[in-house]
Amino acid sequence: MLSAFGGGRLFGEATGEAPRRVVALHGWRRDHTDFAAMLGDDGPADGGRAVGAISLDLPGFGATPAPPDGWGSAEYAAAVAWVLDELDGPAIVLGHSFGGRIALHLAAARPDRVAGLLVTGVPQLIRRVPPRAKLGYRVAHRLNRLGVVSDDRMEMRRRRSGSADYRASTGVLRDVFVRLMAEDYEAQLAAVQAPVSMVWGECDTAAPVAMAEQAAGLVPGGRVKLEVLPGIGHLTPTEAPAALRCALDRLVADVWP
């Protein structure tokens, strides 16, 4: 059942027993239901009891309204912090892909509210040189700004040139997506104070394992564990819910022995 959190500004589903000590954040173009299989009441956690969790619909997805403008990960993290501030104590933040970007910002900005971090399939963790647009696209963009190429024709070219996620995004969410593509998370990784569990699909092409291995080295104090799941792709919450739940259970036991 959907409920409102963060002063009624975000929606999601609460599972397990109180107190709620896990907050789950989904990927791009996904919603809170991605975590249904791993956060249900059937799996053992926290000494055999179901872990108390909140799976959110991030702004612009599921039942939660879109942000007012083109937010980046930091603004999304500030919105999720409204939910963390309602809890009785610090929480483990679980983030997949887009949600993992937000989780890293939360852990860096609000160490008082993040007791542990479980991230999986997070793209662009480390700094990279963005690919340069093809010459034809750059020429069309220049002509569009000069009024020679119409907005409709430019939009058609954007759709042909962009990724599937870009093409599927409209309005303010396209602005969000473009902003996300310019981000990396090296500063956030270096600032994390909580223990970190990274769970990666061996076959993840959106967020390759090699990048995760480099990123793990940026977390200070050796507080990170990286687990690679053989044969699993990018959608770990739905492809490997049992393995992700086991990783969560271990982190729960480490944080609250």
Side-chain angles (χ1 to χ4, degrees), residues 129-213:
V129 177
R132 186 175 174 83
K134 293 181 179 179
L135 177 61
Y137 181 89
R138 300 201 308 271
V139 170
H141 185 263
R142 175 64 175 168
L143 292 175
N144 173 251
R145 297 189 66 175
L146 293 172
V148 177
V149 173
S150 70
D151 290 343
D152 287 344
R153 288 184 61 189
M154 192 64 215
E155 176 62 17
M156 290 175 62
R157 182 173 283 273
R158 288 192 186 100
R159 288 183 175 274
R160 290 198 303 270
S161 302
S163 67
D165 283 336
Y166 178 86
R167 292 194 299 271
S169 301
T170 58
V172 70
L173 287 181
R174 177 172 289 185
D175 296 336
V176 171
F177 185 81
V178 170
R179 187 167 172 188
L180 293 176
M181 291 304 98
E183 294 184 352
D184 66 73
Y185 307 95
E186 293 188 12
Q188 286 71 40
L189 286 161
V192 171
Q193 299 180 24
V196 181
S197 177
M198 301 175 68
V199 179
W200 242 253
E202 177 189 38
C203 304
D204 190 339
T205 56
V209 171
M211 177 200 61
E213 292 171 341

Side-chain angles (χ1 to χ4, degrees), residues 33 51-52 56 67 96 110 141 150-151 192 199 242 256:
T33 61
V51 64
L56 292 174
H96 169 242
R110 295 297 306 273
H141 185 263
S150 70
D151 290 343
V192 171
V199 179
W256 296 294

Side-chain angles (χ1 to χ4, degrees), residues 23 25 73-74 76-78 80-81 84 90-95 99-119 185 187-197 219-220 223 251:
V23 174
L25 311 175
S73 298
Y76 271 90
V80 175
L84 296 184
I92 289 173
V93 180
L94 159 61
R101 303 171 188 255
I102 299 165
L104 285 164
H105 269 278
L106 271 171
R110 295 297 306 273
D112 59 316
R113 304 304 297 170
V114 178
L117 196 61
L118 172 54
V119 291
Y185 307 95
Q188 286 71 40
L189 286 161
V192 171
Q193 299 180 24
V196 181
S197 177
V219 178
R223 293 191 298 273
L251 187 56

